[in-house]
Amino acid sequence: MTVIVTGGAGFIGSNFIFYMLKEHPSYRIVCLDKLTYAGNIKTLKPVMEQEKFRFVCGDICGRETVYRLFEEEKPDIVVNFAAETHVDRSIDSPSVFLQTNIMGTAVLMDACRKYGIQRYHQVGTDEVYGDLPLDKPNLFFTETTPIHTSSPYSSSKAGADLLVLAYHRTYGLPVTISRCSNNYGPYQFPEKLIPLMLINALNDKPLPVYGEGINVRDWLYVEDHCKAIDLVIHKGKDGEVYNIGGHNEMRNIDIVRLICKELKKPESLITYVKDRAGHDMRYAIDPTKIHSELGWLPETKFENGIQKTISWYLENRSWWEEIVSGEYQEYYQKMYGSRFG
Ligand code: NAD
Ligand code: TYD
């Protein structure tokens, strides 16, 4: 079995590669990644020399590159993680999101049609459902919740999902889509809430909480997401969408307070800053379908997952110190300079 994993030098993709090499030692795993600011080849160092692993630096939008790779590898399964993923960056410059997230998905699926595959899997997000109100805690996103996006990021991901379903219906391409809630864990780029707050706190820098900090996200440990995708690609039904989430809703401010507590840093570092434009209030997944059809359940409780994540960032300082000492400073200045007012 040969699996092409796109975006495997990023956060979830790299965790997925480690997971697959461990769980399916006979599989060949081929990573295609453009190594944008979010991709880090050093993350893949532990598997780089493994016989069953190959890394290819390339763009999913590059038809020639993609077709050549399919010709060489004849993949059985393609799992597409490659994407521009940060909502704030999408608000700042949407066009690259449309290019990679929509056009790139189309190129990959064209290659799947041309060369034939057993399964194309699209790694999607719960953000395609828009948001839920805070005062209706019994409402959850199911697979039939209408698509109702808020940001250029979520709109580009929704566009991709619709295209994937269209390729299934029109051309009979064997596809599945998963839509997961917010992930956390090792190797997450420090533009996202948890690693950003962890690193700022370790550096005694202000912790920029958007708005009032009452927005709710449904947090899932990254390995549980990887397990769910493994199940969907092997046992999921063609043309189906599977929501992934573990009923772990938390307010942003409570996450940031927890980080202060765990790192023994004062809450006075918390600084309320200008809110994100169009900021989604609450995400909450109903994972009944993947549980009842495929038997998936999350295994890592948030208390344990956050401990593991904090320990990882403490033990792997060089991984993130290298990131935050480079171009990241410019990004931080651009995104947060005016927010602090
Ligand atoms: P990430 O930003 O950490 O990594 C993205 C990876 O894609 C990087 O390695 C980058 O180099 C690569 N990439 C970007 N553009 C590319 C291109 N044109 N060609 C090839 N590679 C390219 O992202 P992540 O957080 O690991 O997310 C992975 C996927 O999971 C995305 O599709 C995202 O929408 C989805 N998702 C993420 C979350 C989350 O909480 N992080 C939740 C649900 C779904
Ligand atoms: P993020 O990690 O960007 O994920 P998403 O927007 O895709 O859910 O943000 C998670 C939540 O944290 C979101 O409500 C925005 C908020 N947030 C802050 O309050 N401050 C920050 O510096 C960041 C990056 C996010």
Side-chain angles (χ1 to χ4, degrees):
M1 194 69 99
T2 296
V3 184
I4 289 187
V5 177
T6 67
F11 166 45
I12 310 174
S14 59
N15 278 283
F16 183 73
I17 287 172
F18 300 146
Y19 178 84
M20 291 296 282
L21 286 168
K22 190 173 67 181
E23 290 299 310
H24 303 284
S26 66
Y27 285 19
R28 176 170 171 76
I29 307 290
V30 179
C31 172
L32 173 66
D33 196 297
K34 187 182 173 182
L35 295 179
T36 68
Y37 79 92
N40 190 342
I41 192 70
K42 293 199 177 123
T43 300
L44 294 172
K45 199 160 170 252
V47 296
M48 222 47 171
E49 303 302 323
Q50 282 192 24
E51 200 196 317
K52 293 284 183 188
F53 179 72
R54 176 182 176 200
F55 178 80
V56 176
C57 183
D59 191 334
I60 58 165
C61 303
R63 206 168 277 276
E64 264 179 49
T65 311
V66 170
Y67 285 12
R68 199 180 324 118
L69 185 64
F70 272 63
E71 225 157 81
E72 285 168 14
E73 294 291 346
K74 304 188 174 37
D76 302 287
I77 298 175
V78 174
V79 185
N80 181 24
F81 290 91
E84 289 292 332
T85 62
H86 190 37
V87 173
D88 293 325
R89 288 188 194 248
S90 83
I91 294 168
D92 188 56
S93 357
S95 61
V96 65
F97 285 72
L98 310 183
Q99 182 62 23
T100 289
N101 299 2
I102 302 177
M103 299 307 291
T105 296
V107 170
L108 287 173
M109 289 194 298
D110 285 342
C112 290
R113 285 184 63 211
K114 185 169 158 74
Y115 295 97
I117 36 109
Q118 289 176 27
R119 170 59 57 76
Y120 172 85
H121 182 73
Q122 178 75 0
V123 180
T125 166
D126 62 353
E127 298 191 30
V128 299
Y129 300 121
D131 63 352
L132 296 164
L134 290 181
D135 61 357
K136 294 207 173 77
N138 295 330
L139 280 186
F140 297 95
F141 298 137
T142 71
E143 289 78 1
T144 54
T145 299
I147 301 285
H148 186 79
T149 55
S150 311
S151 69
Y153 164 64
S154 55
S155 304
S156 67
K157 291 294 290 184
D161 281 9
L162 295 176
L163 204 56
V164 172
L165 294 174
Y167 270 60
H168 174 66
R169 175 157 171 165
T170 309
Y171 308 118
L173 194 71
V175 305
T176 40
I177 297 175
S178 52
R179 294 182 180 145
C180 191
S181 60
N182 286 60
N183 284 214
Y184 68 100
Y187 301 107
Q188 188 167 29
F189 192 86
E191 65 192 349
K192 305 282 166 58
L193 179 76
I194 290 182
L196 186 140
M197 296 297 170
L198 274 173
I199 289 169
N200 277 19
L202 286 170
N203 289 329
D204 298 307
K205 283 177 63 179
L207 307 176
V209 172
Y210 297 168
E212 295 175 74
I214 55 174
N215 305 65
V216 170
R217 298 293 183 264
D218 184 355
W219 294 94
L220 185 73
Y221 192 62
V222 63
E223 201 175 65
D224 280 322
H225 186 185
C226 296
K227 281 182 190 161
I229 294 174
D230 186 20
L231 269 177
V232 173
I233 60 178
H234 290 103
K235 300 200 174 127
K237 279 195 223 124
D238 282 349
E240 292 289 316
V241 174
Y242 295 88
N243 281 355
I244 308 172
H247 282 302
N248 182 58
E249 290 176 51
M250 293 184 72
R251 298 189 313 169
N252 296 338
I253 186 64
D254 297 326
I255 301 248
V256 178
R257 286 198 181 121
L258 179 71
I259 288 172
C260 290
K261 186 165 162 251
E262 293 297 330
L263 295 178
K264 299 187 174 47
K265 296 290 180 179
E267 283 194 11
S268 57
L269 286 176
I270 296 175
T271 310
Y272 293 94
V273 299
K274 189 163 171 272
D275 207 352
R276 172 184 280 172
H279 198 171
D280 280 337
M281 226 20 172
R282 170 177 169 247
Y283 301 147
I285 282 276
D286 175 354
T288 305
K289 179 173 173 178
I290 191 166
H291 174 59
S292 57
E293 286 188 17
L294 307 183
W296 178 85
L297 272 180
E299 288 168 24
T300 302
K301 291 209 168 69
F302 188 77
E303 306 87 87
N304 302 335
I306 195 74
Q307 287 298 342
K308 283 204 258 185
T309 305
I310 292 174
S311 303
W312 188 86
Y313 279 89
L314 287 172
E315 286 157 19
N316 291 275
R317 285 186 92 103
S318 62
W319 185 87
W320 55 264
E321 275 174 349
E322 209 164 303
I323 293 171
V324 299
S325 65
E327 277 171 25
Y328 182 82
Q329 286 304 327
E330 273 165 52
Y331 162 81
Y332 197 83
Q333 197 45 42
K334 183 175 177 200
M335 289 293 185
Y336 291 89
S338 59
R339 269 209 158 101
F340 280 108

